[in-house]
Amino acid sequence: MLAVAITGFFLLLISPSEAGLGFEDEAQVADTVSAVAAPRALSSKEATDEAFGALQNLWDSFYYNLPKLLIALVALLLTWLLTRVIRAVVRKFIGHWHSGSAISTLISLAIWLLGIGIVVSIVAGDIRALVGSFGLIGLALSWSLQTPIESFTGWLLNSFQGYYRVGDRVKVGEVFGDVYRIDFLTTTVWEIGAPYQPGFVQAEQPTGRMVTFPNNEILSGTVINLTGDFPYVWDELTVSIANESDLKKALEVLERIAQELLAGYMVEPARAYGQMLQTIGIPDSVSEKPQVFVSSDDSWTNITIRYLVGARERRKWKSELTIRTTLELNKPEYVGIIIPVYPRQQVQFINPDGVPIEASGTPPQGM
């Protein structure tokens, strides 16, 4: 369909009469119809003369339309100049706005479409040629360029809605990284490692790789922005202790360690976070210091430290908090009071009657 549309467009440029727009009156139409309706065999000389005549007609048509072509070229040049002037004016007045680039691009596209439409009308000499050519080309492009059109639409949405900007840390589909460049059809990011997907780096730190994905991912996938309006995220560190430990003492020690490290750091981000929640009407309070929570697992107790840190500093703070927690719990005064534990399983044997037996006993047959 695209090839047919392009062929028809070039026929309009070179020879409008060949495209069905060159008939001057009804008599000529009638002669043509009668000639087609009554074919006859041609001799070799007649066929040669007819071929040369067709070439001569084609040249005459091109020579006849040469002024139109020159005017069309001038119109394209004026369109190009007008586009540059308007883009400069738009950037001067709204260049500071985050959607200024999108506005400038849309205006340029509109001017180019108008200029091309004027050129086609000049060459074809008939408004029907303009409508027909745009219809054919538009139909062909809509079928053959679905992905680029969707990607361009995604770029427009991102330009006006601001899902992410250059420098933001985002996760779009399977891609996770810092946005490096945003084009009309694609977005390029510096890849960031993540513990929840395979890669070279199992943490939120750069891998050194550049990843490019089409902008239609914005329409079909989920966009997660870690640094857009609020560059801080909640992180957690879980410490497992034996059930025989002094739970109250463990909570006091871990809360003290977290506050010594992060209490002063969290104040300003927590207040800003609380103001954002109040602005959008979410009734939730934000603690200005680390919090400690308890949960039970299979055969031990988990103590989770929850804290607010910069999205690009998660690994640094978790590493420092882990070091301080490990050094503190290894002190002699906590031996036998706070007992670290590793994941473990307990196996119990039962006899055929379902009664538990000692581990030192002989297990039933078949076990």
Side-chain angles (χ1 to χ4, degrees):
M1 296 176 66
L2 181 61
V4 172
I6 294 176
T7 303
F9 180 72
F10 279 109
L11 282 175
L12 291 174
L13 291 178
I14 298 175
S15 178
S17 61
E18 296 296 330
L21 300 174
F23 297 118
E24 296 180 355
D25 51 34
E26 297 182 359
Q28 187 176 354
V29 176
D31 293 341
T32 303
V33 173
S34 61
V36 174
R40 63 184 182 84
L42 298 177
S43 65
S44 176
K45 183 176 182 304
E46 290 176 337
T48 303
D49 292 341
E50 184 173 343
F52 280 108
L55 292 176
Q56 183 64 37
N57 291 335
L58 187 62
W59 169 253
D60 292 341
S61 178
F62 173 77
Y63 185 77
Y64 174 78
N65 290 292
L66 184 58
K68 295 182 179 180
L69 295 177
L70 294 177
I71 296 175
L73 291 176
V74 173
L76 289 177
L77 179 61
L78 293 176
T79 302
W80 177 74
L81 292 175
L82 181 62
T83 301
R84 292 184 65 87
V85 171
I86 292 182
R87 284 175 67 94
V89 173
V90 170
R91 288 177 179 176
K92 180 179 179 181
F93 286 98
I94 63 174
H96 62 282
W97 188 31
H98 65 272
S99 299
S101 177
I103 295 292
S104 176
T105 301
L106 289 178
I107 293 176
S108 299
L109 289 176
I111 294 174
W112 273 111
L113 288 176
L114 179 61
I116 293 175
I118 294 174
V119 168
V120 174
S121 300
I122 292 173
V123 174
D126 193 335
I127 192 62
R128 293 174 298 177
L130 173 62
V131 177
S133 62
F134 279 151
L136 287 174
I137 294 176
L139 180 62
L141 292 179
S142 64
W143 281 94
S144 60
L145 300 176
Q146 293 185 30
T147 299
I149 291 174
E150 291 178 354
S151 296
F152 182 76
T153 303
W155 171 78
L156 283 178
L157 287 175
N158 184 51
S159 298
F160 288 101
Q161 297 296 328
Y163 300 126
Y164 56 79
R165 304 294 179 198
V166 173
D168 288 348
R169 178 162 293 187
V170 300
K171 185 177 186 298
V172 182
E174 297 297 325
V175 180
F176 180 42
D178 295 325
V179 179
Y180 173 74
R181 182 175 59 247
I182 303 175
D183 298 322
F184 295 151
L185 303 181
T186 61
T187 297
T188 303
V189 302
W190 286 102
E191 187 187 45
I192 300 297
Y196 47 81
Q197 63 183 15
F200 295 117
V201 179
Q202 298 300 316
E204 292 186 13
Q205 288 184 306
T207 66
R209 300 187 299 186
M210 302 285 286
V211 181
T212 300
F213 62 89
N215 290 333
N216 64 349
E217 289 285 342
I218 299 175
L219 306 177
S220 59
T222 301
V223 179
I224 301 175
N225 194 331
L226 279 72
T227 59
D229 296 328
F230 187 68
Y232 295 88
V233 294
W234 289 103
D235 199 10
E236 295 181 346
L237 175 66
T238 299
V239 179
S240 300
I241 62 174
N243 293 333
E244 298 80 11
S245 302
D246 186 340
L247 183 58
K248 183 177 180 180
K249 185 65 174 180
L251 289 173
E252 293 176 356
V253 172
L254 294 179
E255 185 175 6
R256 174 174 55 81
I257 296 172
Q259 289 187 14
E260 290 176 354
L261 178 63
L262 295 163
Y265 174 85
M266 279 184 54
V267 174
E268 292 300 328
R271 290 176 180 174
Y273 191 24
Q275 291 176 358
M276 289 181 58
L277 295 181
Q278 292 179 3
T279 301
I280 61 180
I282 297 179
D284 191 10
S285 60
V286 180
S287 175
E288 297 182 1
K289 59 183 180 179
Q291 295 176 291
V292 179
F293 300 93
V294 180
S295 62
S296 298
D297 216 314
D298 294 338
S299 57
W300 63 88
T301 300
N302 289 326
I303 302 179
T304 301
I305 306 172
R306 177 177 169 84
Y307 50 93
L308 188 65
V309 293
R312 291 183 168 88
E313 301 175 331
R314 293 178 64 180
R315 193 177 197 186
K316 181 189 74 172
W317 288 108
K318 176 171 284 189
S319 178
E320 181 63 25
L321 184 59
T322 302
I323 292 173
R324 294 196 180 194
T325 301
T326 303
L327 293 177
E328 184 68 21
L329 296 182
N330 285 336
K331 290 182 177 180
E333 57 263 34
Y334 301 121
V335 175
I337 300 176
I338 302 176
I339 307 171
V341 71
Y342 298 96
R344 57 187 178 179
Q345 292 181 339
Q346 183 177 359
V347 179
Q348 186 180 52
F349 296 100
I350 60 175
N351 60 22
D353 297 328
V355 178
I357 61 177
E358 295 294 334
S360 59
T362 303
Q365 295 294 326
M367 293 188 64

